[in-house]
Amino acid sequence: MTEKKPTTSYKEIKIGNTLYRVTSVFTGEKDLGKTLEQLAVRRAMSERTSCPAT
């Protein structure tokens, strides 16, 4: 079996005098349903903790 190298890409953007680089690494396949569910839960928790209590 051949070992696959991770694919890396990046984008640079300059804001003011600061150069920012966002790097993405693709390491293989993921179960899309489970990944989307995890992202949704993280976002919901983030929104819940950032909103003041009513």
Side-chain angles (χ1 to χ4, degrees):
M1 186 163 113
T2 335
E3 189 176 320
K4 292 183 179 181
K5 288 185 176 181
T7 302
T8 304
S9 64
Y10 68 90
K11 180 175 182 169
E12 293 179 341
I13 186 168
K14 189 171 186 177
I15 302 174
N17 292 328
T18 305
L19 181 65
Y20 295 92
R21 179 184 284 183
V22 178
T23 304
S24 299
V25 179
F26 177 76
T27 57
E29 295 181 14
K30 285 191 164 210
D31 177 6
L32 185 58
K34 187 170 190 133
T35 302
L36 289 174
E37 181 182 353
Q38 290 172 346
L39 288 171
V41 168
R42 287 183 197 162
R43 181 172 180 176
M45 295 302 290
S46 174
E47 288 176 1
R48 183 167 185 225
T49 57
S50 65
C51 294
T54 55

